[in-house]
Amino acid sequence: MPRPAPAIAAAAALLAVLAAAAPRGATAKTTIEPCSGADACPALLGYTLYADMKVSEVAALFGADPAAVLAANALDFASPGAANRILPAGTPLRVPTRCACADGVRKSVAVRYAARPADTLGSVADVVFAGLPSADQIRTANGLAAEDPDAPLNPGQQLVIPLPCVCFNSTDNNLPAVYLSYVVRVGDTVQSIAASHATTVTDVSNVNAMGSPIVAPGDILAIPLPACSSAFPSSASDSGLLVANGTYALTAGNCVECSCGPANLNLYCTPAPASLTASCSSMQCPNSSLIVGNMTAQPTGGGCSVSSCNYGGYVNGTIATSLSSGLQPTCPGPHQFPPLTALPTAPNHVSYSPAAAPGPGEEGGAIPGGSNVSPANGPGGSPSQAPAMNQPCRIVLLSILCLVLALWM
């Protein structure tokens, strides 16, 4: 039987193109921060939705509070039914997390995931968690035997999901900063990534110990975001609170909202909308009628006498407050809040639950890969490497290879 040469040639050409585009033998690089001790810091995970999902589903996937996820993205967290709103696939989000020290490196180890039918280590890593972990990292964290990352997992199998993050003392160039773990996408360059996060190529390169400003899809960069820092006592459960510029954070059991910017990088806290919680402790300052976020200003001959009631942390289930008074050259105007954006909406209003199983944080597995010496004047980051071939690419290549063989027979 004659072979259909044009069809074979076309299929072979397409296979060659895909094979060339696939990262065969390539590795995805992740910036890691060596550490010791049991301290943790606030951090952000850059996550892109792989399907239409409710806000509550995204939050459950990462063991986060739905309102906190919206606040971290300056989305309207107080709108009615916000937790049940459906976000469209492809929506990029910043998910707040605690960056712990586990096995000598910084990572978030609080996320638990229950495997679904047809899940594989590869699909969980590349699809469900959008490339934040690798299949090898999940395997190591759970003490699983080395096997094909495309082998099906047992439905209901509980997995620890290690996620990349860094602290770098929560500073960047001696200024407060919170670090975002960003997964490089097709078409990204260091220049475009830096511009979209209001930083510089030099800063991104230094933080990530990059010999040259070149990235590949699947690489994970630590992006420093200017932030407002807090000075709450160590006894407060929200000690060390950081809020990225232009966003919000919820604290004190969702009773208090703290914002950063846009006029300055001073943390500003006020009572959160009543719809977010059932009850809150008193927010009134002692010996004053002012509550958290309130201020009085009285012009005087020497300037303006200003008194304000400030949030001082969440201590033993109580909202701590402090009253400050002083003379300023001029009376301050109304406080400017970061603008809130309406939630995007999926056009088909169909969501797909990720069936996450969040649980209390425990130490996970080590992030595989070596480390290099960091720049002398930069943070202590170093790149690690993990396989980067993704599941969809494998499927396409295998399908076309079968087509070529079928035509040849």
Side-chain angles (χ1 to χ4, degrees):
M1 176 180 178
R3 301 182 185 97
I8 292 176
L14 181 55
L15 179 61
V17 170
L18 287 174
R24 184 192 312 168
T27 55
K29 298 179 181 179
T30 302
T31 295
I32 63 173
E33 177 188 5
C35 63
S36 61
D39 63 314
C41 75
L44 295 169
L45 302 169
Y47 179 68
T48 301
L49 273 64
Y50 68 98
D52 293 352
M53 297 170 66
K54 292 181 181 179
V55 174
S56 59
E57 291 169 350
V58 178
L61 186 63
F62 291 93
D65 179 79
V69 172
L70 295 176
N73 292 274
L75 296 172
D76 190 359
F77 52 87
S79 62
N84 292 318
R85 295 285 292 275
I86 299 172
L87 305 177
T91 300
L93 291 176
R94 299 174 179 179
V95 180
T97 190
R98 295 293 294 176
C99 189
C101 183
D103 303 318
V105 295
R106 291 287 182 191
K107 62 178 115 171
S108 173
V109 291
V111 172
R112 303 292 180 270
Y113 178 78
R116 303 165 304 187
D119 269 347
T120 67
L121 288 178
S123 67
V124 171
D126 297 337
V127 180
V128 178
F129 287 93
L132 283 166
S134 71
D136 280 343
Q137 290 164 359
I138 298 175
R139 178 189 297 111
T140 303
N142 292 275
L144 302 177
E147 60 183 17
D148 183 355
D150 296 329
L153 296 168
N154 295 323
Q157 182 176 354
Q158 298 289 315
L159 297 174
V160 175
I161 307 296
L163 298 168
C165 61
V166 298
C167 292
F168 294 143
N169 296 319
S170 296
T171 60
D172 178 50
N173 295 323
N174 299 315
L175 295 174
V178 60
Y179 283 86
L180 168 73
S181 296
Y182 178 82
V183 181
V184 177
R185 298 174 295 184
V186 174
D188 278 345
T189 64
V190 176
Q191 290 82 357
S192 67
I193 294 169
S196 63
H197 292 90
T199 186
T200 65
V201 170
T202 299
D203 201 13
V204 173
S205 298
N206 287 340
V207 166
N208 293 277
M210 301 172 69
S212 60
I214 298 175
V215 291
D219 288 352
I220 301 176
L221 299 179
I223 306 297
L225 305 177
C228 296
S229 61
S230 61
F232 306 151
S234 58
S235 57
S237 61
D238 50 3
S239 178
L241 178 69
L242 280 170
V243 183
N245 187 29
T247 69
Y248 294 76
L250 297 169
T251 186
N254 285 1
C255 289
V256 175
E257 67 174 58
C258 296
S259 60
C260 181
N264 54 54
L265 293 180
N266 297 324
L267 192 68
Y268 187 75
C269 300
T270 62
S275 60
L276 296 181
T277 187
S279 62
C280 301
S281 63
S282 173
M283 301 189 201
Q284 186 171 336
C285 270
N287 304 316
S288 171
S289 60
L290 299 178
I291 65 171
V292 167
N294 283 174
M295 177 189 68
T296 61
Q298 182 65 42
T300 68
C304 185
S305 177
V306 178
S307 296
S308 60
C309 181
N310 306 309
Y311 175 65
Y314 197 48
V315 182
N316 297 324
T318 300
I319 295 174
T321 61
S322 63
L323 186 68
S324 63
S325 300
L327 191 65
Q328 298 184 10
T330 59
C331 290
H335 182 79
Q336 294 182 358
F337 290 90
L340 286 171
T341 304
L343 275 69
T345 303
N348 56 2
H349 301 283
V350 174
S351 66
Y352 186 64
S353 174
E362 298 175 1
E363 289 195 359
I367 296 179
S371 62
N372 299 326
V373 178
S374 304
N377 298 322
S382 57
S384 71
Q385 298 181 342
M389 175 76 82
N390 58 32
Q391 172 78 353
C393 189
R394 291 192 192 98
I395 294 173
V396 172
L397 287 174
L398 184 59
S399 299
I400 296 178
L401 180 59
C402 291
L403 175 62
V404 172
L405 292 176
L407 293 172
W408 185 265
M409 295 298 290

